[in-house]
Amino acid sequence: MNQTQNRQIADLVQSAKEQFGDFSDAKKQEIFLCIKEAKARGLLRKQPRDLCLSEYINTANYLLRTYSTEEFSRALTQNLDCIYVYVALVSTNSITVTA
């Protein structure tokens, strides 16, 4: 990630923490590992919700499906899980941040 991407994500995370509170490091790590494993297994796709997938993977697929829409922007203001799933998607190069 470049410096602009890092700043955008840091601002987004800080804003979410102010609105929703903070997660433990264990929770952040759990989300990241879940998304990383889902990517390795080919489970990250622009598909509708699947009851057989975890909430984090369903959230990731929703974000991938709605990326670059108003719906995507709204999702990032709903809860801290969405923010950390988004950060995991960016850090695994599953989604690209534009300046």
Side-chain angles (χ1 to χ4, degrees), residues 35 38-39 42-47 56-69 72 75-76 85-86 88-90 92-96:
I35 299 304
K39 181 177 181 175
L43 298 173
L44 297 181
R45 297 184 295 274
K46 298 177 182 180
Q47 68 182 29
Y56 302 139
I57 297 170
N58 278 318
T59 299
N61 287 337
Y62 174 77
L63 292 176
L64 290 169
R65 194 171 58 253
T66 61
Y67 189 62
S68 296
T69 68
F72 174 83
L76 294 180
V85 167
Y86 171 68
L89 287 170
V90 172
T92 60
N93 294 317
S94 301
I95 205 166
T96 305

Side-chain angles (χ1 to χ4, degrees), residues 1-35:
M1 284 189 286
N2 68 36
Q3 203 165 9
T4 302
Q5 290 172 327
N6 285 338
R7 184 76 246 145
Q8 288 175 324
I9 290 173
D11 291 346
L12 182 63
V13 169
Q14 183 58 40
S15 174
K17 284 180 180 180
E18 290 169 6
Q19 184 176 354
F20 303 113
D22 199 0
F23 273 167
S24 68
D25 286 337
K27 179 84 168 187
K28 290 182 238 180
Q29 188 68 13
E30 176 187 350
I31 291 172
F32 175 76
L33 291 174
C34 182
I35 299 304

